């Protein structure tokens, strides 16, 4: 019963922060709400007793990625952000809603076709040791994750370089 209450609290925090993140007009508030979403997801991992994933969520995403966003926001000067006002057009909102519904229906159809819901309800009775998780994260074989980690690090480096290039003052 306590797990259900905690799940409901975390779900409300995650959904509320996600909606606030995409609807706010202040960019620093959006980054702060994104941080709340990422902490809520880490809370879900801790609720499921996935302490390793919860700690990784906090350290990598909540700590690293959000700080990268904040630094990129701070690097971009106020002058470049002052003239930016985005207006919502009805046709763009309708098209976005249509794409969201199509995407949701596609995900539901795939889940029902592959009977993922039935397999997800069955809990594994064997706990995976931490050493096996570590070998999977840094291994280069099949179903191991060193290549995605390297690609993400190159992507983040490109984001930092792009932020520095945007923030660099050009003399005319």
């Amino acid at each position: 019963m306590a797990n259900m209450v905690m799940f409901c609290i975390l779900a409300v925090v995650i959904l509320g922060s996600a909606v606030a993140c995409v609807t706010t007009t202040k960019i620093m508030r959006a980054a702060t709400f994104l941080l709340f979403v990422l902490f809520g997801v880490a809370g879900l991992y801790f609720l499921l007793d996935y302490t390793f994933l919860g700690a990784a969520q906090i350290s990598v995403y909540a700590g690293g990625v959000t700080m990268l966003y904040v630094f990129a926001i701070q690097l971009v000067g106020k002058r470049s952000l002052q003239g930016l006002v985005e207006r919502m057009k009805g046709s763009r909102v309708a098209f976005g809603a249509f794409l969201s519904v199509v995407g949701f229906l596609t995900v539901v159809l795939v889940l029902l076709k592959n009977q993922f819901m039935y397999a997800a309800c069955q809990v594994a009775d064997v706990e995976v040791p931490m050493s096996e998780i570590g070998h999977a994260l840094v291994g280069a074989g099949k179903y191991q994750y060193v290549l995605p980690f390297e690609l993400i690090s190159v992507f983040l480096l490109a984001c930092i370089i792009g932020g520095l290039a945007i923030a660099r003052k050009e003399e005319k």
Side-chain angles (χ1 to χ4, degrees):
M1 183 64 183
N3 284 342
M4 183 60 80
V5 171
M6 281 304 299
F7 175 78
C8 291
I9 291 171
L10 287 171
V12 168
V13 167
I14 290 170
L15 291 175
S17 297
V19 169
C21 180
V22 297
T23 57
T24 187
T25 57
K26 306 284 186 187
I27 195 160
M28 287 302 288
R29 287 184 186 166
T32 305
F33 286 127
L34 176 66
L35 181 67
F36 290 148
V37 170
L38 295 173
F39 275 130
V41 172
L44 288 178
Y45 286 141
F46 287 125
L47 188 65
L48 293 170
D49 289 331
Y50 292 137
T51 55
F52 176 76
L53 288 177
Q57 175 79 16
I58 289 174
S59 65
V60 173
Y61 291 108
V65 175
T66 305
M67 288 304 114
L68 182 69
Y69 286 157
V70 169
F71 286 137
I73 290 167
Q74 294 297 328
L75 284 175
V76 176
K78 283 187 176 181
R79 290 183 180 171
S80 60
L81 289 176
Q82 281 178 346
L84 295 177
V85 176
E86 187 171 330
R87 294 182 179 29
M88 287 194 240
K89 294 181 182 176
S91 61
R92 289 182 70 187
V93 172
F95 184 66
F98 173 73
L99 284 180
S100 298
V101 169
V102 168
F104 177 74
L105 291 177
T106 303
V107 168
V108 168
L109 184 70
V110 168
L111 287 178
L112 291 177
K113 183 178 179 187
N114 293 328
Q115 298 179 348
F116 178 76
M117 296 301 228
Y118 305 114
C121 292
Q122 298 173 353
V123 178
D125 55 352
V126 178
E127 187 173 333
V128 179
M130 189 60 70
S131 62
E132 190 172 330
I133 293 173
H135 287 294
L137 287 176
V138 297
K142 189 175 183 181
Y143 303 118
Q144 294 180 339
Y145 296 101
V146 76
L147 183 61
F149 277 155
E150 291 299 322
L151 290 176
I152 289 171
S153 68
V154 169
F155 174 72
L156 290 175
L157 178 64
C159 290
I160 292 171
I161 292 171
L164 290 174
I166 289 172
R168 185 179 57 175
K169 295 179 181 176
E170 295 183 19
E171 296 179 15
K172 293 182 181 179

